[in-house]
């Protein structure tokens, strides 16, 4: 992060500390540590009792090495957290807030594997996407609690850090009164912060034997499916280097109208992957109204039919625009099949 978002985080940390110091439960139970990461990770503050903690200044760096940051965190947990033994009660299960506004720029897979095998069950990790640039499916690989701060403006940050403070207070009370370290998050109110439904970001399986595309009729507003079947054809251009080389293509089977019951019988999201038009062979007319072009694409990504007129209206988003015959390939949304 750089610029206003990092300043908001800086101010938010100060607000959290100020508020928690007025809470007797938090004064008894809360210790805070800050780790910053960009291309590398660095500990800005060791684990410190709340009344002795002062927020450090957050530096700026290049990159988003999430794998390196997670490895740094795991190593720090090994030394900073007191484990329970037969002779002594250890620290409560830590609560870790991971803030990121981008996608990993390093090889993170081994760190993720180590985390999930040895650390995940022993800590409470809450991953927070600042804005909508982070790939939430990557964060879901290391945490069951994924939040998104949709609009990272001053007011949203203010409400977000109030929520963090409330969550810490709630857990402090739980630790003090019930000896339970089960994570209890404060209720999320307003539209700025949202908890992500993990089921909606799980990678979906696709029947790769077919490429099925959901389209919409501009004239009747009905839906239809465009179906292609996978074919393997010879690729003689590479035969000199790769004997019996094959290339995957998809041949048009046809276009078929569907009723709204299609959505009732379909699992989850409709568009779950993409396919490039370069490997699609054949484009249909509209099965609903007979328009000559049944595979037209709007800027919104919706596939629909069109006629020979230059001006068309997309039935998905309602925009009217000038259309022309495409001369290049593009990625389009596909269904499960």
């Amino acid at each position: 992060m750089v610029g206003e978002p990092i300043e908001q985080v800086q101010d938010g940390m100060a607000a959290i500390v100020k508020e928690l110091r007025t809470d007797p439960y938090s004064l008894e139970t809360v210790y805070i540590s800050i780790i910053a990461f960009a291309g590398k990770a660095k500990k800005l503050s060791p684990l410190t009792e709340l009344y002795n903690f002062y927020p450090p200044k957050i530096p700026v760096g290049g990159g988003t090495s999430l794998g390196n940051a997670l490895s740094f965190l795991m190593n720090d947990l090994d030394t900073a957290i007191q484990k329970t033994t037969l002779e002594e009660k250890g620290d409560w299960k830590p609560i870790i807030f991971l803030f990121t506004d981008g996608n990993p720029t390093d090889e993170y897979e081994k760190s993720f594997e180590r985390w999930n095998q040895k650390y995940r069950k022993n800590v409470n990790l809450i991953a927070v996407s600042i804005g909508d640039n982070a790939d939430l499916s990557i964060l879901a690989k290391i945490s069951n609690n994924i939040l998104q701060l949709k609009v990272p403006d001053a007011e949203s940050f203010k409400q977000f850090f109030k929520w963090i403070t409330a969550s810490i207070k709630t857990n402090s009370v739980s630790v003090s009164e019930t000896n339970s370290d089960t994570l209890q998050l404060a209720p999320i109110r307003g539209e700025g912060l949202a908890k992500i439904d993990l089921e909606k970001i799980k990678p979906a399986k696709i029947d790769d034997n077919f490429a099925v595309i959901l389209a919409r009729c501009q004239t009747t507003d009905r839906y239809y499916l465009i179906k292609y079947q996978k074919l393997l054809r010879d690729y003689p251009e590479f035969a000199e280097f790769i004997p019996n080389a094959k290339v995957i293509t998809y041949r048009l089977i046809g276009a078929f109208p569907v009723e709204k019951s299609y959505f009732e019988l379909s699992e989850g999201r409709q568009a779950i992957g993409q396919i490039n038009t370069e490997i699609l062979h054949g484009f249909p007319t509209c099965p609903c109204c007979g328009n000559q072009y049944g595979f037209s694409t709007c800027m919104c990504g919706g596939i629909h039919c069109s006629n020979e007129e230059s001006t068309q209206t997309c039935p998905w988003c309602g925009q009217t625009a000038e259309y022309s015959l495409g001369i290049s390939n593009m990625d389009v949304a596909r269904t499960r099949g």
Side-chain angles (χ1 to χ4, degrees):
M1 288 184 283
V2 68
E4 188 173 348
I6 204 167
E7 293 174 6
Q8 299 289 355
V9 171
Q10 187 87 48
D11 294 341
M13 285 195 306
I16 288 174
V17 173
K18 181 179 179 181
E19 178 66 22
L20 290 179
R21 282 177 176 165
T22 66
D23 178 54
Y25 293 102
S26 298
L27 282 172
E28 290 181 3
T29 60
V30 172
Y31 285 65
I32 301 176
S33 176
I34 303 292
I35 296 173
F37 73 96
K40 297 180 180 180
K42 179 181 180 181
K43 184 189 289 186
L44 303 184
S45 175
L47 201 60
T48 305
E49 291 173 290
L50 175 60
Y51 64 85
N52 280 330
F53 178 83
Y54 294 91
K57 184 172 180 58
I58 303 176
V60 175
T64 308
S65 295
L66 183 55
N68 288 339
L70 203 59
S71 293
F72 189 99
L73 172 63
M74 289 185 283
N75 294 337
D76 191 57
L77 288 170
D78 289 341
T79 58
I81 302 300
Q82 177 66 45
K83 296 179 174 61
T84 297
T85 65
L86 293 175
E87 295 79 23
E88 187 177 6
K89 174 72 172 69
D91 293 327
W92 298 104
K93 184 183 290 187
I95 302 174
I96 299 165
F97 293 93
L98 167 65
F99 299 162
T100 182
D101 66 349
N103 293 322
T105 56
D106 63 344
E107 301 296 329
Y108 57 82
E109 288 81 3
K110 289 185 178 179
S111 294
F112 279 25
E113 182 178 358
R114 178 188 170 198
W115 172 264
N116 288 323
Q117 288 180 352
K118 298 182 179 180
Y119 296 85
R120 183 168 179 167
K121 64 181 180 181
N122 298 319
V123 302
N124 296 305
L125 176 62
I126 302 163
V128 183
S129 168
I130 307 297
D132 57 4
N133 292 320
D135 186 338
L136 301 179
S137 66
I138 294 178
L139 298 178
K141 294 178 181 179
I142 56 174
S143 175
N144 293 327
N145 291 297
I146 311 296
L147 303 180
Q148 184 179 40
L149 188 64
K150 298 179 180 180
V151 182
D153 57 20
E155 182 59 29
S156 295
F157 267 108
K158 182 178 179 181
Q159 296 303 319
F160 171 51
F161 283 105
K162 283 185 176 180
W163 175 84
I164 292 179
T165 305
S167 294
I168 295 174
K169 284 184 176 182
T170 300
N171 284 275
S172 296
V173 172
S174 179
V175 165
S176 300
E177 295 190 344
T178 67
N179 281 342
S180 172
D181 59 3
T182 301
L183 180 64
Q184 299 184 44
L185 299 178
I188 295 175
R189 297 184 175 89
E191 299 180 354
L193 182 66
K195 191 174 190 300
I196 302 302
D197 183 351
L198 298 183
E199 291 297 323
K200 293 183 178 180
I201 60 175
K202 283 183 178 179
K205 293 183 178 180
I206 298 174
D207 181 358
D208 203 44
N209 291 308
F210 299 93
V212 181
I213 295 166
L214 178 65
R216 198 166 179 176
C217 175
Q218 181 183 176
T219 306
T220 66
D221 203 32
R222 292 183 62 189
Y223 298 94
Y224 59 95
L225 299 177
I226 306 172
K227 188 172 184 178
Y228 294 84
Q229 184 172 12
K230 183 169 74 172
L231 296 175
L232 292 176
R233 66 177 179 86
D234 294 328
Y235 206 170
E237 293 88 342
F238 285 168
E240 181 180 351
F241 310 101
I242 308 176
N244 301 317
K246 302 285 186 181
V247 62
I248 296 175
T249 62
Y250 286 84
R251 176 180 58 84
L252 177 68
I253 294 177
F256 310 93
V258 293
E259 303 298 330
K260 290 186 178 180
S261 58
Y262 167 82
F263 299 97
E264 298 173 4
L265 293 172
S266 298
E267 182 182 2
R269 296 161 291 166
Q270 303 308 315
I272 59 170
Q274 292 190 318
I275 190 168
N276 195 277
T277 55
E278 182 180 14
I279 62 174
L280 300 179
H281 292 270
F283 297 98
T285 58
C286 178
C288 300
C289 72
N291 270 341
Q292 181 177 355
Y293 306 108
F295 200 117
S296 298
T297 307
C298 175
M299 291 291 291
C300 73
I303 305 299
H304 60 89
C305 71
S306 62
N307 52 38
E308 295 181 347
E309 301 293 330
S310 60
T311 301
Q312 305 290 325
T313 300
C314 173
W316 292 97
C317 67
Q319 294 187 72
T320 298
E322 297 291 322
Y323 280 56
S324 62
L325 291 176
I327 58 174
S328 60
N329 302 308
M330 66 180 69
D331 291 329
V332 294
R334 65 189 294 185
T335 68
R336 288 183 187 272

